[in-house]
Every structure is written in C-alpha cells, then in structure tokens.
Amino acid sequence: MAGRPDGDPAFQQPNGGDSAWAQELLDQLRPAGRDPRRLVDWLARTVSASVCLQDDRGGLLAGEWLPLDSAVFADVAAGRVSAASLDDGARHVRLVGIRRPGPGPGAGAVLAVARPEPFDRRATEILGRTVGILELLLRERESAESGRRLRRATADLRLAILQLLMVEDTVSARRVAAGLWPGLLEQDSARVYVLEGTAAERDRLADACVDATEGRALVVRCPAVDEHVIVVGPSADVGERLRSLVADRRGTFLGGSPRQRLALTATAYGQAVTALAVARFRSDRYAVYAARTRPARLIDPAALRAWAAAVLRPLDQLPHHVRAELLATTRLGLEFTAVNAAKVLGVSRNTVRARMDRVAALLGADLSRLPVRAVAHAALDTEAAQGPYDLSGGAPGPPTRARLTELLGTSALRSWAEGLLGRLDEDGRDLRGTLRAWTGADAHAERAAQVLGVHAQTVREHVRAAEPVLERRLTAGGTDLYEVVLAQLVTGELPVPDVGTPGPGTPNPDQPDSPVHR
C-alpha cells in the first residue's frame, strides 16, 4: 500500500495527447448531467475499469460493488491517507478519498477503480480530474439535501404551530413561533385562508405564498387535503397579497374567513373551507365566508350561553388543558371526518375517536345521530364564540339548563327556518321531503331510500340538488349541514334530541384517552 498526497503531480499534470475525454468530463457539469452515478459510469467506460463509489461507512453510492481491503479502505475513509494504490497480481486498484464539506480530516466518500492493466499516465490523469468533479457534485448534492432538510424542518414547525392553534394553545403557539418568526402571532386575532391548486403544484404554491406574504403569515401545507395550502394571516394585507397571487395563477382558488380570535383558529379554518367551495364558482376565484344570518344570532345570547354551559357542565370537572383539548378535537371531528381531523391535529384517528367518545359519554350524547351532532355542535360553537360561562356579575351558581325546545321556539327562529327550508318547496321533486328523510336517517342515503321507497341514487341526486338552493354544503357535513338540521328541529320536521346527563359506564374524567375499535 502506498499513500498519495493531494498535491501529487500525477493527479494534476495535464495530458497533451488525447483530449476528447476532457470535453466529455466537462459535459458532466452541465445542469442535465450532474449525477455522480452517471459520472462513475463514464469513468468506468473511459479507463476500461470497474468503478465503485462508497460512502465513508462502506455503503454503495454508485457503480458496481468491488471487494476491497478493509484496512486500506478505513485509512482512506478516515483521511489518514488521501489515496492508495493496490496490486494483487490480478488487478490494479486505486482508492481516492472524496473530501466532505466542512472541517475534519475524514472523507465523505471513497472512489475505488480496478483494472487489469496498470494505470498509465492518461488513466491517472482522468482519475484525478474525475475526483475533482465528483467532489463538486457531492458537495452540491449535500448542499441541496441540507436545504431540503431545512425546508422540511421549517414546514414541520409551521404545522406544529397550526396544530397548537387548532387546540387553542395560543401560548405555546406563540412560544414556538417566536424563535423563527418574531412577532408573527403578537396580535390576538387573524384570518385563515385556504388556497386550492393541484397536488403536483402544491409545494410551489406554498413557496409562492411564503414569498407573497413576506413572513407576515403562517403558511402550512394542509396535512388533510393534498391540494390545499393553509395561511393564517394576522396582518391586514395578507388577503390582498393572496388575491393577487391567485389572480396570476390559473386553476387556483382562495377562500377566507372573517377575522377571528387566535383561539378560534379551528372555527376560522372551517369557515375558510366553506368559502373555498364558493370561490370555485366565482370568476375571480376568491370568496370570503358569508356573514349570513346564523340561527345563534336569533336566540337570546344570555339564554343560549347558559344552555351551552349547562350542556357542557359535565366537562368542567376535567383539568383545564384536558377540557380544552377534548373540546377542540370534538369541534374539528364534528366539522370534518375523523381521518381529516386527525391529520390536521397531528394525531391518530383512533385518538380523535377516543376523545370524541369520551366527550359523548360525559355529555350523555349519541354522536352517531345527526340531530345530536347538530345540537352538540351548537353548544360547542356557542362556548367557542362567547367563552366559558362566567359566574361573575351576580349569577348565584351554575347555570340552569333551559329547554332546547324553548330556545328553538321563538318566532324569529321559526321565520328563519321556514324561509330557509321553504326555498325547496318550489322544486317539483319534493327536495324538502327527501332532505327530511336523509337527515332523519343520519345522512345515510340507503336508509333514506328505504323509507321513501326510491333508489339511493335518487336520494343523493336530490340532496346535491338542494345544495345550491339552500346555498349550503350538505354532503360534506359540518356547519352548513348542522344549520339545516337545526332548521328542521325548529319546524318540527325532526324531533328535538335530548342531549342530557351521562349514562352508566361514563369513564373517569381523569382516565387518559384509550384507543377505540370500530
């Protein structure tokens, strides 16, 4: 074994003869050809040898596997010698260390070249020049990989902040954001936007959002929908910047929420998704969640708040952070599917279902029933919008539960409900009757079809036909569907459910979540 210093003339001296290989070697630096594997294959052909490129632990990076002396390989990989020559009588082998970026004597990779003939001046020079090119390519690849790791870590951090906001942990979200984006979440409120493009273009769309907002917004690749990018924008000009971005990108749509408290990020996200559905049918491909009349606005605020507090009172015995986590998860689980809620929160779908089952048991609510989900959603939404019930101001004790039938029996609510559902009466297909059967069957088309004596596909077509008439998404579930169900409760088309006291078998509130098998 003989070591070669880096400055050995054999690795530096130009060849005055055949120079075609030099041009071919330079071609390896063209943008389309920068691939270490391609360069190793070229070296093998050019010097008529077997070539192997390994990392410093012996893993194969390119070329074909060669049996090598482990001690010699270790010396080159560790940087104790920069190169070595071996001759076992049957082949001539050269090992050369490819230096890694940064400090330290070790090699990032080892190039081994074996051929039956000795290395002449031409082969030696080609090998030396190739080592220099390989070092550049490996440095470029390492730099690109470091950039990818940094972008992935930054994306993961943005997602973690969003997930903290989704469960109302604004203190932790601010703490995490302060390290990289100081001041980003200083304001107490923000708007949430959802942009939709194609899954293939989603990364470029997210990068464009980061550039457009100039660090004034939290940009997250949606973990639930591959085509979506979520933007939390505390700054007032974020919306205008995103609208300009969408205007310049065909096939891209933008939905936005009204300004909400950071603790209501999950609510704002649902509103932005609803607005996105509207944006798909608008010429400017942009829509903001409509501030239309909500049934909660037609109920006495104090009575509604007291009712919601009484419904949710069984959860008050839980530690504050556990209660907040359960309620935030349940709100998302009622608004979206358990699978999508799990992706947004960064937990398993079994965890989402376990938390929702725990809440259902504590409230005595059968969340498999659509009317019950609508009522539970109303209670959760009321607390989210108005905050927990405050016993200060003269309230003598815990709120007394008002009957839900009394809250829904006002003339204002009845007028709203009849006006909403009455839109369906103008259609000759009895959309109202189909919708009543469908919601009564907990949104199961097959069960509704059995009740009506029609085909399940007819039920689905009627429900889809009712969506533009009511200006609400029904098949996707969530707030729009629950409003329609509340209207049916008001008009008596559905019986008002009893979201009452917990039944036997209620789990201990201090017991941790457990998986659910369904």
Side-chain angles (χ1 to χ4, degrees):
M1 178 182 75
R4 292 186 183 274
D6 291 340
D8 191 318
F11 283 83
Q12 306 296 330
Q13 181 181 356
N15 182 13
D18 175 25
S19 61
W21 63 266
Q23 184 59 48
E24 294 175 1
L25 183 58
L26 287 175
D27 288 342
Q28 304 295 323
L29 289 175
R30 297 182 184 276
R34 293 178 181 173
D35 184 354
R37 292 170 298 184
R38 187 169 180 262
L39 179 56
V40 165
D41 292 342
W42 172 85
L43 177 63
R45 295 193 305 271
T46 305
V47 300
S48 302
S50 298
V51 182
C52 171
L53 179 65
Q54 297 175 254
D55 61 27
D56 55 357
R57 294 180 298 276
L60 185 65
L61 298 177
E64 58 182 295
W65 184 262
L66 295 177
L68 300 172
D69 187 296
S70 59
V72 176
F73 179 89
D75 285 340
V76 176
R80 289 186 285 272
V81 293
S82 61
S85 298
L86 299 173
D87 182 358
D88 60 7
R91 60 179 188 161
H92 301 268
V93 182
R94 295 280 178 91
L95 289 86
V96 184
I98 311 295
R99 289 175 296 182
R100 63 159 58 93
V110 176
L111 180 68
V113 182
R115 47 185 266 159
E117 298 84 10
F119 282 80
D120 55 18
R121 184 174 180 178
R122 174 180 180 275
T124 299
E125 182 176 2
I126 292 174
L127 175 58
R129 302 288 184 179
T130 302
V131 166
I133 300 297
L134 263 177
E135 183 176 324
L136 291 175
L137 294 184
L138 292 178
R139 282 174 180 255
E140 180 184 52
R141 188 174 71 173
E142 176 63 27
S143 177
E145 182 59 31
S146 296
R148 281 192 292 269
R149 286 196 296 268
L150 179 60
R151 289 192 295 272
R152 190 179 307 118
T154 303
D156 290 344
L157 186 59
R158 290 192 179 109
L159 176 58
I161 295 170
L162 177 66
Q163 289 168 342
L164 289 170
L165 292 174
M166 288 287 192
V167 296
E168 302 181 17
D169 192 351
T170 57
V171 174
S172 297
R174 285 187 170 115
R175 192 173 297 150
V176 174
L180 286 180
W181 304 284
L184 176 62
L185 300 179
E186 278 185 353
Q187 298 185 41
D188 292 328
S189 62
R191 299 178 188 270
V192 175
Y193 302 90
V194 177
L195 294 92
E196 181 179 85
T198 63
E201 292 291 322
R202 203 255 296 264
D203 286 348
R204 280 186 279 272
L205 178 59
D207 291 340
C209 290
V210 172
D211 293 339
T213 56
E214 297 180 346
R216 302 178 187 178
L218 180 69
V219 180
V220 181
R221 292 160 176 81
C222 178
V225 184
D226 291 340
E227 296 82 10
H228 287 184
V229 175
I230 303 170
V231 180
V232 180
S235 177
D237 65 343
V238 167
E240 288 303 318
R241 291 170 180 263
L242 294 178
R243 288 189 67 177
S244 298
L245 174 65
V246 167
D248 295 335
R249 300 175 74 96
R250 297 183 62 184
T252 305
F253 306 92
L254 173 64
S257 76
R259 183 167 287 276
Q260 297 278 16
R261 291 185 293 112
L262 287 179
L264 296 182
T265 298
T267 298
Y269 169 60
Q271 292 172 340
V273 171
T274 298
L276 181 65
V278 177
R280 297 189 187 104
F281 302 100
R282 296 189 54 170
S283 59
D284 58 356
R285 292 173 277 122
Y286 169 69
V288 176
Y289 186 70
R292 62 194 180 207
T293 301
R294 300 293 173 188
R297 297 182 180 181
L298 303 175
I299 302 175
D300 176 67
L304 179 61
R305 192 176 188 185
W307 167 80
V311 170
L312 301 177
R313 191 189 310 167
L315 299 174
D316 294 345
Q317 59 190 306
L318 299 171
H320 174 74
H321 70 282
V322 175
R323 184 183 191 276
E325 181 180 67
L326 290 178
L327 290 186
T329 301
T330 303
R331 275 203 301 274
L332 276 178
L334 291 173
E335 194 70 39
F336 306 101
T337 65
V339 173
N340 284 348
K343 290 178 180 178
V344 171
L345 293 172
V347 298
S348 72
R349 61 183 177 182
N350 276 349
T351 298
V352 170
R353 288 169 177 157
R355 291 175 183 173
M356 293 183 68
D357 283 352
R358 188 175 175 189
V359 169
L362 287 169
L363 300 184
D366 181 5
L367 294 181
S368 67
R369 298 300 315 279
L370 178 56
V372 175
R373 290 203 302 272
V375 172
H377 183 269
L380 293 171
D381 234 22
T382 298
E383 180 175 296
Q386 301 187 27
Y389 189 80
D390 186 5
L391 293 179
S392 63
T400 300
R401 174 181 297 186
R403 291 178 60 85
L404 182 58
T405 51
E406 296 173 359
L407 294 179
L408 300 180
T410 65
S411 58
L413 262 182
R414 177 165 291 277
S415 176
W416 165 81
E418 288 291 355
L420 176 64
L421 299 176
R423 303 177 193 175
L424 300 172
D425 295 336
E426 299 178 5
D427 194 291
R429 293 172 290 180
D430 191 18
L431 299 184
R432 187 167 179 173
T434 302
L435 186 60
R436 179 170 60 248
W438 182 70
T439 53
D442 301 318
H444 288 281
E446 290 79 6
R447 284 162 46 190
Q450 291 176 359
V451 172
L452 295 171
V454 298
H455 195 279
Q457 186 59 30
T458 302
V459 174
R460 296 187 184 97
E461 290 175 356
H462 284 195
V463 172
R464 283 194 294 267
E467 290 184 318
V469 177
L470 298 175
E471 297 179 342
R472 283 161 174 81
R473 298 182 310 156
L474 302 177
T475 55
T479 299
D480 283 0
L481 176 58
Y482 297 145
E483 284 192 359
V484 172
V485 172
L486 284 178
Q488 293 173 325
L489 297 179
V490 171
T491 60
E493 296 179 47
L494 289 178
V496 177
D498 179 22
V499 181
T501 56
T506 299
N508 186 329
D510 295 325
Q511 180 180 352
D513 296 335
S514 58
V516 174
H517 302 284
R518 288 183 176 174

